[in-house]
Amino acid sequence: MNQVQKLLIIGFVWPEPNSSAAGGRMMELISLFKAQGFSITFASPAQNSDYMVDLQEYEVEKIAIELNNSSFDVIIKELNPGVVLFDRFMMEEQFGWRVAENCPDALRLLDTEDLHCLRLARQKAFKENRSFKTTDLFVEEVAKREIASILRCDLSLMISEFEVELLESTFKIEKALLYYLPFLLEPIVVAEIDKLPFFEKRKDFVFIGNFLHEPNWNAVQYLKETIWPLIKMRLPETVLNIYGAYPSQKVLQLHNKKEGFLIMGRTIDAKEVVKEARVVLAPLRFGAGIKGKLLEAMQCGTPSVTTTIGSESMHGDLSWNGNITDDVVDFADVAVQLYQDKTIWLQAQQNGLKIINQRYVKYLFENNFRTKIEFLCANLKEHRLRNFMGAMLQHHTLKSTKYMSRWIEEKNK
């Protein structure tokens, strides 16, 4: 592959690796493409934030772009990328037709992050106090948009094996359009394990998660109202530290020192916070994808208690680094047991390290991914010929979305 191959990433937001797993994921993808010799430009219509990463430090060009504005056409023509990566389906909806029109030979990739339609359908089922069924996805408006986006792209990067299977079985998406690429981590060696704080040096429980993400806010409410009182009754000296970026006023109001329920807000270094804790609590009741907070716990040697949704697609056939349960009383019981029993705690820690080293180490994926990208770039015409549904959607989208966007642009003038 040409060493000056250009990659354009169209970001939903500017990457904030210290604020969310999505930000960390984006930096991993940038690193992966850098290693392949790509020259990378990152463009986004989002506002700058105080916590965004300095892309220049990673030798990534940063460009601000606008929605519904033909100035993007000029930018992409001049850049002429060989590969375009859309960060979430919303960016493909907005800019995909412009990419197809101005750079028809560019390989179009979609990083789904997680399946938004799955997360929203599960959230709706939860709010309606009923069990989620896969048929719920068929009436979810976002599913129609997201699946159309997946079909229009040449390849979608999937973070969860469960979601790959769901797309293939429920939506009949061709295998050739999906690519499993989870979080990409460095291996953990024995010397690093020995440097981690040991059982006796750790104390208290921790929850960590970006509060702009509804499943995290719901989990914190669940902890406050139901789970934490059961744990606190048996471990009166402990506290639960709640960390996360962008806490709203309703989150901050949950802070209660007397109950040992402490809203700590954003942390500069999430790993340091998790390393100091003895157990991570993550009672997620809906959601999708794989959970960065739980992988982070494993990297820090901190056992966790989570739900079936929390652990979904994360550990394969390997034992969890703690416990998985959807029962409230059981959740509190196993959390207390993990907190008090050093033998069980150490075994849980080892389980987590094994999960990282066998399922998420970067070198397990980088060469295959490089080969896949090279193959698609070399055989793009043939690849697209086999994706008739995608070509049909691209044809109609180019017409409808294009004229809607042009109308909005004229209206904005």
Side-chain angles (χ1 to χ4, degrees):
M1 185 178 283
N2 192 327
Q3 288 304 294
V4 291
Q5 176 82 296
K6 292 178 187 173
L7 166 69
L8 170 65
I9 301 173
I10 303 177
F12 181 64
V13 292
W14 302 107
E16 291 186 25
N18 291 329
S19 299
S20 70
R25 160 73 164 183
M26 181 50 69
M27 296 314 294
E28 288 167 7
L29 291 176
I30 286 172
S31 168
L32 206 58
F33 280 103
K34 271 278 168 201
Q36 291 189 27
F38 276 88
S39 163
I40 303 176
T41 300
F42 195 106
S44 178
Q47 297 291 314
N48 287 347
S49 83
D50 294 338
Y51 304 102
M52 60 194 265
V53 79
D54 183 358
L55 289 166
Q56 285 183 313
E57 281 186 20
Y58 297 87
E59 299 178 322
V60 173
E61 183 188 11
K62 175 180 179 286
I63 296 179
I65 53 176
E66 292 182 49
L67 299 173
N68 303 306
N69 194 312
S70 52
S71 59
F72 177 83
D73 301 346
V74 178
I75 290 167
I76 195 166
K77 273 181 188 168
E78 194 175 307
L79 189 64
N80 193 26
V83 181
V84 176
L85 173 66
F86 301 103
D87 168 29
R88 288 165 261 205
F89 80 91
M90 298 83 87
M91 291 297 94
E92 189 280 334
E93 278 187 330
Q94 287 287 341
F95 295 99
W97 69 269
R98 292 185 185 274
V99 171
E101 193 171 71
N102 293 292
C103 291
D105 298 328
L107 176 67
R108 297 189 296 269
L109 305 178
L110 173 65
D111 186 39
T112 56
E113 293 290 350
D114 62 17
L115 272 184
H116 292 61
C117 60
L118 176 62
R119 172 158 42 86
L120 292 171
R122 280 174 167 170
Q123 183 174 326
K124 192 179 288 182
F126 172 79
K127 295 275 170 74
E128 293 171 2
N129 199 26
R130 59 179 175 80
S131 296
F132 164 78
K133 306 183 296 295
T134 52
T135 50
D136 292 341
L137 294 166
F138 296 137
V139 295
E140 187 62 52
E141 187 210 340
V142 169
K144 297 173 179 69
R145 294 168 54 198
E146 193 166 21
I147 299 306
S149 185
I150 287 168
L151 285 166
R152 284 191 299 264
C153 286
D154 299 310
L155 194 70
S156 289
L157 309 182
M158 306 299 301
I159 210 162
S160 156
E161 291 160 312
F162 173 82
E163 291 174 11
V164 171
E165 166 60 27
L166 182 76
L167 289 173
E168 289 176 3
S169 61
T170 302
F171 292 105
K172 311 303 179 193
I173 305 287
E174 292 291 331
K175 274 184 166 63
L177 298 178
L178 305 173
Y179 192 85
Y180 173 62
L181 190 71
F183 288 114
L184 306 165
L185 309 176
E186 294 302 324
I188 299 174
V189 296
V190 176
E192 287 176 53
I193 299 166
D194 294 340
K195 288 179 192 170
L196 293 170
F198 43 88
F199 179 83
E200 291 81 4
K201 282 283 184 187
R202 297 172 181 244
K203 64 171 190 167
D204 300 327
F205 294 86
V206 70
F207 171 90
I208 195 158
N210 187 318
F211 286 108
L212 297 178
H213 197 54
E214 181 69 20
N216 289 333
W217 160 237
N218 180 270
V220 169
Q221 287 177 294
Y222 191 30
L223 282 165
K224 168 78 172 177
E225 295 162 10
T226 311
I227 297 170
W228 181 243
L230 297 176
I231 297 172
K232 184 69 172 171
M233 204 187 323
R234 290 164 61 183
L235 298 171
E237 300 304 310
T238 62
V239 301
L240 171 56
N241 294 301
I242 307 281
Y243 286 91
Y246 303 107
S248 63
Q249 194 55 43
K250 64 182 180 180
V251 176
L252 297 171
Q253 283 173 352
L254 297 181
H255 182 85
N256 189 315
K257 203 169 181 180
K258 189 179 170 187
E259 294 173 4
F261 197 89
L262 309 180
I263 306 294
M264 309 299 286
R266 179 186 288 274
T267 174
I268 296 167
D269 190 336
K271 283 187 177 161
E272 284 308 308
V273 163
V274 177
K275 279 178 189 173
E276 288 169 10
R278 195 175 285 178
V279 178
V280 166
L281 302 179
L284 299 159
R285 292 188 283 186
F286 51 85
I290 57 177
K291 314 304 178 290
K293 63 173 70 60
L294 294 173
L295 276 184
E296 195 167 62
M298 295 176 203
Q299 287 178 297
C300 296
T302 312
S304 63
V305 185
T306 190
T307 55
T308 308
I309 290 282
S311 65
E312 182 177 86
S313 204
M314 287 193 65
H315 60 115
D317 297 328
L318 301 173
S319 298
W320 188 251
N321 76 316
N323 286 92
I324 301 164
T325 177
D326 296 320
D327 180 79
V328 175
V329 175
D330 191 39
F331 196 103
D333 286 346
V334 294
V336 170
Q337 187 182 38
L338 257 181
Y339 194 88
Q340 292 180 318
D341 193 319
K342 183 178 177 180
T343 304
I344 292 172
W345 188 92
L346 286 170
Q347 183 57 58
Q349 184 184 67
Q350 287 301 313
N351 292 347
L353 301 174
K354 193 182 287 185
I355 291 169
I356 295 281
N357 286 338
Q358 292 188 22
R359 288 183 58 84
Y360 296 98
V361 175
K362 189 159 98 174
Y363 68 69
L364 296 173
F365 300 95
E366 55 189 347
N367 287 338
N368 286 343
F369 183 63
R370 178 198 297 265
T371 303
K372 183 72 174 179
I373 297 302
E374 288 177 350
F375 176 82
L376 286 176
C377 286
N379 299 277
L380 192 53
K381 192 175 178 183
E382 294 86 342
H383 178 75
R384 284 180 179 168
L385 275 174
R386 296 190 188 99
N387 181 17
F388 178 76
M389 291 298 286
M392 182 179 69
L393 284 165
Q394 190 68 259
H395 171 80
H396 288 291
T397 302
L398 202 60
K399 299 287 186 286
S400 58
T401 314
K402 174 180 177 177
Y403 292 114
M404 173 60 80
S405 185
R406 295 279 192 234
W407 180 78
I408 293 170
E409 186 174 4
E410 287 303 313
K411 193 167 174 279
N412 288 342
K413 286 177 183 176

